[in-house]
Amino acid sequence: MEIHPYGPAPTALASLPPKPAGFTGRDEELTVLMDLLRPTVGAGPRQVCAVSGARAAPAHDGILETGAGVVAAVAGTAGVGKTSLVVAAGHVAAQLGYVDAFLFIDLRGYDTAPVLPAQALDALLRSLGVEDAHIPPTLEERASLYRSQLETLAVSGSTVLVIADNASTPQQVRPLLPGNDSHRLLVTSRHTLPTLGARLLDLDVLAPCGALRLLDTALRIADPADTRAVLQEADALAVARLCGHLPLALQIAAALLIDDPQQHFGELAAELARTTSPLDLLDDGERALRSSLDLSFQSLTGPQADSFRRLALNPGPDISTADAALLLERDERETGALLAALTRAHLLVRGVVRDRWHMLDLIRAYAQELADRYSTTTDVYRRVQRLLFDHRVATVKAADEHLTAFLGQPVPQVFAGERQALDWLDAERANLLATVEAAHLLGHHDLARRLPPLLAEYLERGRFIDDWVAAATTALASARVLLVRRDQATAWIRLGAALDGARRFQEAAEAHRQGLIISQEIKDRELEGVALSNLGCALLELGAYAEAADVHRRDLAICQEINDLSGEGKAWHNLGNVMRHLRRFDEALRGHERDLDICRSLGDRRGEAAAWQCLGTVLTEVRRFDEAVDALEEALALFVATEDRFAEAGVLTDLGVVFRETRRYEEAAATHREVRAIYEEFDDAHGVSCAWDNLGRALTGLGEFETALDAHRKSLRMCQEANDLLGEAAAWCNIGVAHSAAGNFPEAIEAHLRDLALCLQAEDRSREGAAWNGLGIAYTGVGRFDEAIEAHMRDIAICQETEDQYGEGTTWNDLGASLAASGAYDEAAQAHRHAIGLFRRTNAPYEEGEAFAGLATALAWDGHDRSEVRAAWEASAAAFITAGADPEAAASQGAAAAV
């Protein structure tokens, strides 16, 4: 008798291995296999099927027509659970009566001595009851006898499921195809077998929930009382993620936990995360993931093995065919063929987007081990990796030039336009950020320093703020290694800009100061100006308005000195912003107008848009609403044209404020809802919070108080979660305003007291004044007039200190209402007159109309002559007409007629 090296052959028609213990997470795939294994009565020949991770959809009532027998080939990477799936499918098929007998054979396709087709047929024939003496010598004769034996079983009404496990090539499988369509053949392979003429099902790793279920099931089989996976769910999910959701890795992890019943999932997760190679840990003494992957790697050809190692040199999560060609040093056609071969071997995965590829995390770790081992004997890998890094820097530079170019400025031909540049950056973002970190760790400090500044415009515009800060931090670390002082200054300034974007203004200011000190030491006036410009912006956010103004004036002088027209425009822009906060609106308007002129002359469309936006904001402050709307619409059109979606949200916010100030509350609410949706697109919590708060103010104007309060509370919660002190104060202020408008004065008092406490803590005088005024209104509502008057006077003092004439006018008017409610009509009239004068100076006709109405009421209650009262009502009506407030004007005219 011939002795075969593959081991003892089966001797019966019940050779299906036991159902895998703890099998779970494959319900969908089992359903697919059951559809394929279900018997068909009265049908013709059925499909040769193979199962390939995809969703298999049966055709023609679940039957796919071919001329060969039914085959399902399950393909997938090592350890993904192919054998477990087909064995489990066999057991289910037996329970359902789909199959009467089983033939199982391990083809050992990835061993050094795989089972040959003739050897496989020898084993299967003996299993079918054929004596050794009757087994013919040739492959063709054995295949013929095999089909004849199966035909005999079919005639007797028996259905056989043949499972050919671990095939490496279609040639191993073809002779095993049943000749009769009553029988079924399931194949498993680490390779996709497209030439088998079968339905292909590539088995993917488990979903997180399935991975968790596998861990829990494995632990409970060993000890039904072991509930660690459930009680430590978050850490168990972390272990599953670090195991790549790969069933074999999960089973090994479960075995390690079973072996140590006191071990916490968190400990194992920390160990897996800490180790340089998780493959070292994923070995339970019986099973080792590395050994399983070794078998797959050994099946590769020389060029495929070299390609597999080289792909690990890419530091990012995926790679394009073009970038892979650089690493492989081949043209794109050859590269594509090699990548496809690795994909068929399930050592590589095709991306959702065509011509992009990635590895599962654990396979990537294995490939990196091989690459590290190989690179010790050659410098080829380091050279091609640097080639890839340099290519990425050059391409990012070209993309950045498209993003920052002024109108009419020539741009590199690498991209057809800005949109294509942005699409490429979106696709490569994770790779580029990983390249920054890898370059720093590998000692390519020149590259790690240069790449982040080229990404800054893209990362800022896309609101990838955490990525921006991380990349800028790495660039600074590399600049410090290089010891070039100018590079260090630039890196500090770039980091400051990123921290500014993250709203970490104190840290941003410190970074800019470091950049300023170095630029002054090396006497680099241009860099000094940049540092001053950025420092001033951080100081503005910190409320240090006077210092910010001084810093921006110094920047302006430097830009004029070195003829930096673009820098000069930014300096005027920044000065205008500071002057607006200082309530020096004429100077603010001049600054933004100068900036606008410069941006137009340079063809800087985004700069022009920002100038229009700031002009619109200042025009809103001085109550020139029609002009404000025109300016903001100019800004919006330019931001739309330059595809700056985030900046659109800022302009729409300002438009919403104009609508609210002009009592167009419906439009204001709709605009702020649109703004919120945009910020949600960018996952910008601060923007979303502000949008909720602005929406609440518009809803208060509409009288929808409960809905308004709900919006403000959502803003409040987000600010508290972000530890945004001033945002929280603003939310409490607006909650108080909404409560007062609804007549809920005790609740309003509580809200304004919370607001006041936060403003005092933050030392924000302007917001403190608003809190005092809100308290005054609420105190009046509950009849606590002395406290109300004191609160209003505190706000008036703050407004005078900060030169906020409009705010002062508002508070004088509110004070007049409080005095009138207390019966002090003469003092109330004086307060309203103060308000009228201030509103006239700040061009606030609507508020002027309200103040005249308050004056008329106070005069009437104080018993003044009817002509004075009528004159006040008529002045109120005139002011409302000027403001375009027709209902209010009509009410004032009616009051005047009644007098």
Side-chain angles (χ1 to χ4, degrees):
M1 183 179 73
E2 182 181 359
I3 304 298
H4 298 299
Y6 53 84
T11 57
L13 287 172
S15 59
L16 184 68
K19 185 175 181 180
F23 177 77
T24 187
R26 296 296 189 190
D27 294 347
E28 190 172 341
E29 291 85 352
L30 272 176
T31 300
V32 170
L33 289 179
M34 289 306 102
D35 284 342
L36 296 170
L37 296 177
R38 182 182 295 113
T40 303
V41 179
R46 303 201 302 169
Q47 157 77 17
V48 177
C49 299
V51 190
S52 121
R55 310 285 184 272
H60 302 101
D61 297 323
I63 303 166
L64 296 172
E65 303 297 335
T66 71
V70 175
V71 178
V74 182
T77 192
V80 81
K82 302 178 293 295
T83 303
S84 294
L85 174 62
V86 296
V87 170
H91 282 279
V92 175
Q95 291 169 6
L96 295 173
Y98 292 177
V99 178
D100 305 304
F102 296 91
L103 295 172
F104 182 94
I105 186 165
D106 183 356
L107 297 177
R108 301 185 184 179
Y110 298 89
D111 287 3
T112 52
V115 175
L116 300 175
Q119 295 172 321
L121 285 168
D122 177 87
L124 292 171
L125 285 168
R126 281 189 277 127
S127 178
L128 286 164
V130 178
E131 295 181 4
D132 289 354
H134 297 151
I135 296 176
T138 68
L139 173 64
E140 291 76 12
E141 290 172 321
R142 290 180 180 183
S144 177
L145 180 57
Y146 165 71
R147 290 192 293 272
S148 297
Q149 291 295 110
L150 290 177
E151 177 67 25
T152 300
L153 288 170
V155 170
S156 67
S158 293
T159 298
V160 179
L161 172 60
V162 182
I163 296 178
D165 191 33
N166 213 8
S168 59
T169 66
Q171 289 80 3
Q172 270 189 304
V173 176
R174 283 198 184 95
L176 312 186
L177 289 170
N180 188 295
D181 69 328
S182 295
H183 306 303
R184 312 285 187 271
L185 174 63
L186 291 180
V187 181
T188 72
S189 177
R190 297 184 186 189
H191 280 75
T192 301
L193 305 175
T195 62
L196 193 59
R199 245 297 278 294
L200 305 175
L201 179 71
D202 283 338
L203 201 58
D204 203 351
V205 296
L206 293 172
C209 59
L212 179 65
R213 208 157 54 240
L214 187 153
L215 289 169
D216 182 46
T217 302
L219 266 59
R220 288 176 188 267
I221 287 173
D223 179 0
D226 192 342
T227 57
R228 281 178 287 175
V230 175
L231 297 178
Q232 303 163 21
E233 181 176 330
D235 289 322
L237 285 168
V239 168
R241 177 178 53 79
L242 290 163
C243 288
H245 303 121
L246 190 68
L248 177 58
L250 293 164
Q251 288 160 0
I252 294 171
L256 297 173
L257 288 157
I258 291 167
D259 192 50
D260 184 357
Q262 302 303 316
Q263 187 176 28
H264 193 288
F265 267 97
E267 295 174 41
L268 181 56
E271 201 172 355
L272 285 166
R274 189 168 51 243
T275 182
T276 53
S277 175
L279 299 177
D280 291 334
L281 287 176
L282 293 173
D283 184 339
D284 61 9
E286 181 182 343
R287 298 164 296 186
L289 185 59
R290 182 184 284 108
S291 299
S292 184
L293 291 171
D294 282 341
L295 293 176
S296 293
F297 181 71
Q298 289 162 11
S299 73
L300 300 179
T301 65
Q304 290 168 2
D306 182 57
S307 299
F308 180 64
R309 289 190 298 260
R310 289 188 182 216
L311 289 173
L313 303 174
N314 170 42
D318 73 342
I319 193 166
S320 66
T321 304
D323 280 3
L326 288 171
L327 286 177
L328 272 54
E329 297 185 285
R330 298 175 183 270
D331 62 34
E332 288 199 29
R333 185 190 63 77
E334 290 178 295
T335 298
L338 285 165
L339 297 177
L342 291 173
T343 302
R344 288 193 297 274
H346 290 89
L347 292 171
L348 196 63
V349 181
R350 287 184 188 273
V352 176
V353 178
R354 183 176 174 80
D355 282 332
R356 297 199 73 85
W357 318 76
H358 67 273
M359 291 179 181
L360 298 178
D361 290 345
L362 291 174
I363 292 178
R364 178 180 179 77
Y366 176 72
Q368 286 172 331
E369 283 186 7
L370 297 177
D372 290 344
R373 196 181 310 154
Y374 187 80
S375 64
T376 60
T377 61
T378 177
D379 63 352
V380 171
Y381 281 10
R382 185 173 175 85
R383 176 179 58 77
V384 296
Q385 187 178 52
R386 178 65 196 224
L387 187 67
L388 174 65
F389 288 1
D390 286 339
H391 166 73
R392 284 179 172 167
V393 171
T395 312
V396 171
K397 185 175 185 297
D400 183 57
E401 288 183 35
H402 276 274
L403 268 57
T404 58
F406 294 160
L407 193 64
Q409 184 176 325
V411 289
Q413 299 302 305
V414 176
F415 298 103
E418 183 177 316
R419 181 70 264 161
Q420 190 182 69
L422 282 168
D423 288 344
W424 180 83
L425 287 165
D426 285 339
E428 295 290 346
R429 175 167 62 92
N431 287 322
L432 296 170
L433 293 166
T435 299
V436 172
E437 295 302 316
H440 175 72
L441 292 173
L442 294 169
H444 301 298
H445 295 297
D446 59 325
L447 188 148
R449 176 193 60 79
R450 284 189 290 128
L451 187 51
L454 296 172
L455 286 168
E457 175 71 22
Y458 164 71
L459 294 174
E460 180 182 16
R461 196 188 299 190
R463 308 311 294 170
F464 305 116
I465 304 301
D466 290 343
D467 292 340
W468 186 15
V469 172
T473 302
T474 302
L476 176 60
S478 278
R480 283 173 152 172
V481 173
L482 293 171
L483 299 176
V484 178
R485 294 292 277 165
R486 191 180 196 282
D487 290 345
Q488 290 175 3
T490 302
W492 274 115
I493 294 166
R494 296 284 187 177
L495 175 58
L499 291 167
D500 207 20
R503 303 189 61 77
R504 293 159 59 180
F505 300 119
Q506 198 69 54
E507 295 170 78
E510 182 56 35
H512 291 312
R513 285 194 174 98
Q514 290 293 328
L516 179 61
I517 290 168
I518 298 172
S519 63
Q520 289 171 334
E521 285 176 3
I522 61 177
K523 296 182 170 55
D524 189 318
R525 293 289 277 169
E526 179 184 3
L527 203 55
E528 181 182 352
V530 175
L532 287 167
S533 175
N534 288 353
L535 174 60
C537 292
L539 291 169
L540 174 65
E541 294 290 351
L542 291 168
Y545 302 140
E547 186 182 358
D550 176 63
V551 165
H552 285 310
R553 288 192 187 96
R554 287 163 61 191
D555 172 34
L556 177 62
I558 290 174
C559 291
Q560 291 172 334
E561 170 195 324
I562 63 175
N563 296 317
D564 178 2
L565 194 57
S566 178
E568 181 181 346
K570 289 178 180 144
W572 281 117
H573 177 95
N574 292 331
L575 262 177
N577 284 336
V578 176
M579 292 300 111
R580 175 170 66 84
H581 281 83
L582 290 170
R583 316 299 294 179
R584 290 154 64 174
F585 296 121
D586 287 345
E587 292 175 72
L589 286 170
R590 280 199 297 275
H592 292 310
E593 285 165 352
R594 293 289 296 274
D595 176 33
L596 180 62
D597 289 341
I598 289 172
C599 289
R600 281 171 161 172
S601 71
L602 293 172
D604 180 359
R605 292 196 299 165
R606 295 186 70 245
E608 182 184 345
W612 276 118
Q613 182 181 358
C614 289
L615 275 172
T617 305
V618 179
L619 290 166
T620 301
E621 294 274 14
V622 296
R623 329 308 288 170
R624 290 159 59 180
F625 295 118
D626 289 343
E627 294 172 80
V629 170
D630 289 343
L632 292 170
E633 286 180 345
E634 289 278 1
L636 186 61
L638 283 165
F639 281 132
V640 169
T642 55
E643 297 187 38
D644 194 334
R645 183 84 167 141
F646 190 83
E648 284 181 49
V651 178
L652 287 168
T653 297
D654 294 337
L655 272 172
V657 170
V658 175
F659 294 148
R660 187 183 72 236
E661 291 294 318
T662 53
R663 278 60 181 176
R664 294 157 63 181
Y665 296 118
E666 291 281 4
E667 292 170 85
T671 300
H672 291 306
R673 287 190 180 99
E674 183 179 354
V675 169
R676 189 186 71 220
I678 295 174
Y679 283 132
E680 285 171 345
E681 287 175 21
F682 286 94
D683 196 24
D684 187 291
H686 177 73
V688 172
S689 169
C690 291
W692 275 118
D693 223 21
N694 283 321
L695 174 59
R697 295 181 70 180
L699 292 169
T700 296
L702 288 168
E704 299 177 17
F705 302 121
E706 284 305 317
T707 312
L709 286 166
D710 182 58
H712 290 311
R713 288 179 185 125
K714 285 177 178 173
S715 174
L716 176 65
R717 284 194 295 272
M718 295 184 74
C719 291
Q720 289 170 333
E721 289 169 4
N723 197 29
D724 180 356
L725 207 65
L726 291 177
E728 186 180 347
W732 278 119
C733 177
N734 289 324
I735 287 171
V737 170
H739 273 308
S740 287
N744 305 324
F745 297 111
E747 292 88 345
I749 291 170
E750 181 184 354
H752 285 302
L753 285 171
R754 288 176 178 270
D755 171 25
L756 179 61
L758 290 165
C759 293
L760 289 169
Q761 182 181 342
E763 300 181 355
D764 189 312
R765 291 289 281 165
S766 177
R767 290 177 186 267
E768 179 190 340
W772 280 117
N773 194 50
L775 264 175
I777 294 169
Y779 283 145
T780 299
V782 295
R784 293 161 63 177
F785 299 119
D786 290 345
E787 292 170 272
I789 291 165
E790 181 186 354
H792 289 311
M793 291 306 298
R794 281 178 178 270
D795 182 27
I796 287 169
I798 291 172
C799 289
Q800 290 171 344
E801 173 192 322
T802 58
E803 300 181 15
D804 181 1
Q805 291 188 330
Y806 175 77
E808 184 184 350
T810 299
T811 308
W812 275 114
N813 206 37
D814 291 334
L815 174 60
S818 296
L819 289 165
S822 71
Y825 302 119
D826 187 54
E827 293 173 65
Q830 285 300 109
H832 288 306
R833 289 189 181 101
H834 273 298
I836 290 164
L838 289 163
F839 286 141
R840 282 179 172 172
R841 284 200 288 275
T842 56
N843 190 32
Y846 188 94
E847 290 80 356
E848 183 183 340
E850 288 184 318
F852 267 117
L855 174 60
T857 301
L859 292 173
W861 279 103
D862 202 28
H864 279 249
D865 185 87
R866 288 187 177 184
S867 62
E868 288 184 69
V869 177
R870 185 184 301 110
W873 280 119
E874 288 172 348
S876 173
F880 281 133
I881 289 170
T882 301
D886 296 335
E888 290 87 343
S892 295
Q893 287 169 336
V899 173

